[in-house]
Amino acid sequence: MPNGNSSRYPKERIWLYAKRAGELYQFVKLGGTAEVHESFCPTKDKGSFLFLIRRARREKRKGEPNMKNVPHRLYLTEEQMPKQWYNLRADMKDIPPLVNPGTGKPATQQELEQVFCTELARQELDNTTRFIDIPEEIQEMYKIYRPSPLIRAYQLERALDTPARIYYKFEGNNTSGSHKLNSAIAQAYYAKAQGLSGLTTETGAGQWGTALAEACAYFGLPLTVYMVKASYEQKPFRKAIIKTFDGDVIPSPSMTTEAGRRILAENPNTAGSLGCAISEAVEKAVTTPGTRYVLGSVLNQVLLHQSIIGLESKIAMEQLDEYPDVIIGCAGGGSNLGGLIAPFMRDKLAGKADPRVIAVEPASCPSLTRGRYAYDFCDTGRITPMAKMYTLGSGFIPSANHAGGLRYHGMSPILSKLYDDGYMEAMSVEQTKVFEAATFFAKRETILPAPESAHAIYGAIQEALKCKETGEAKTILFGLTGTGYFDMTAYTAYQEGRMTDYVPTDADLQRGFDQLPKL
């Protein structure tokens, strides 16, 4: 029996089974007629059989008309929502550990607990537990805005005149306007359960700060948000929403912390970066009794919580007898991309499927496409543990004209490892092209995407156009992480022709590489 890989067998000789509710087992001969038998269900390798069924159906559909009976939006029921997060690290090999910069040795849970909640520190270091139960209190808040829809981009397909089938997972149906709430709820819950009196965090575009403010208000926790100065000035209404949920917002770098004062002394006119904001938030947490720091991207625990995106996506696509040939996500720190690809990457690591996974990052902050795979600090102030990741150097700060929130100097250690091992691809794109793609998409799909999300849109359009050239009817899945209604300053700059593209020179990047820690 084929072990999840039908490519070794002539298609006309493959017999597959499917069980339909209230019917007998149905055996389907590809290219032939179906015969129905009351027969034995081979449970020994049922997972591989089910995978083969989906693949067979997809093969049969190739060359058929692009329009078929697929709803524009597919919502799972609350009962179908995942009850566990999936920990991708359990299926990976040789994951480099976090390193304590003071000792040069792998960071321990006890050391991480000085900064993070106890349970989050445990999750950060857990590389073996494949599935982790989602507490009922978190599930209840998830149900306010989840399950999120899987959307077939019919209008985009028509406009591109492509045979590709394009789907996107839309995470913008909540007040934060993004996927960030998935992890914010979890982190605020664990902080409350531990009896903490407050949290600190950073935010780039403001989506994470907004999401965490919502979650902290829900669980009754005070919150201090250090917001990257460029975004603080570009997106004033993000501040208003955070304050609506009782969050305190401070532009970073600031004079309220030693790290901020040091950064401003070195560069008084800096527009800030996520690395700067992380330094300030961590310092505030460790110097304030009963307070811990939480992070909206990059960390292993965050990608764990965000796996609900991919788990829902896979369930929905199975209902449609679909499986993505290409999976695309924007990449700054890696939270949404890591969450979207998690269950599909599990198939890839196991040899059951081979989807292409493409990370799309800004050309102004190209950590994957031009960075170094090395140990580096997770913050500009160099007070956090060091992670092995693709990095531009912790001191790298993108140009102030960078319009999106993908301003982090490094990439998730999980995604960095997958990329270095050849399981992922990456591309970078200038922001004017990103906003061109965002505008094109908005006119067809009637959703105004966040600039971050528009990077994935650009990648999906490029792949769909390749299908138009080759005639291949590939299935494309991308993550639409959020809406752009608080990014109108950037949209206006694009519309008025004032937006420019910044691409760092090799010399710019070398300055960051020269400061990488020596281990």
Side-chain angles (χ1 to χ4, degrees), residues 500-516:
T500 58
D501 291 323
Y502 166 75
V503 180
T505 65
D506 289 342
D508 292 333
L509 298 182
Q510 189 60 47
R511 285 192 289 272
F513 300 148
D514 289 341
Q515 297 178 19
L516 289 174

Side-chain angles (χ1 to χ4, degrees), residues 149-190:
L150 180 71
I151 303 177
R152 175 73 180 268
Y154 281 120
Q155 303 309 317
L156 182 62
E157 291 172 10
R158 287 195 185 100
L160 296 173
D161 190 26
T162 178
R165 296 184 294 278
I166 305 175
Y167 294 88
Y168 57 95
K169 183 67 165 169
F170 180 44
E171 290 289 310
N173 283 336
N174 62 78
T175 301
S176 73
S178 80
H179 67 293
K180 296 291 188 177
L181 196 55
N182 300 329
S183 186
I185 293 170
Q187 297 192 53
Y189 165 77
Y190 289 122

Side-chain angles (χ1 to χ4, degrees), residues 7 9-10 28 98 118 133 143 149 156 165 204 223 269 284 301 310 336 454 467 472 483:
S7 61
Y9 299 83
V28 182
L98 287 175
T118 300
D133 291 340
K143 290 175 183 178
L156 182 62
R165 296 184 294 278
L223 171 67
N269 297 317
K284 177 70 173 178
Q301 58 187 271
N336 89 89
C467 289
E472 295 176 282
T483 56

Side-chain angles (χ1 to χ4, degrees), residues 117 186-197 199 216 218-221:
C117 305
Q187 297 192 53
Y189 165 77
Y190 289 122
K192 183 68 173 181
Q194 189 173 328
L196 298 178
S197 56
L199 293 175
C216 284
Y218 183 87
F219 289 110
L221 281 171

Side-chain angles (χ1 to χ4, degrees), residues 340-357:
L340 177 65
I341 70 172
F344 303 104
M345 184 59 72
R346 184 188 185 195
D347 289 343
K348 186 164 185 168
L349 293 172
K352 292 183 177 180
D354 191 25
R356 290 176 58 212
V357 176

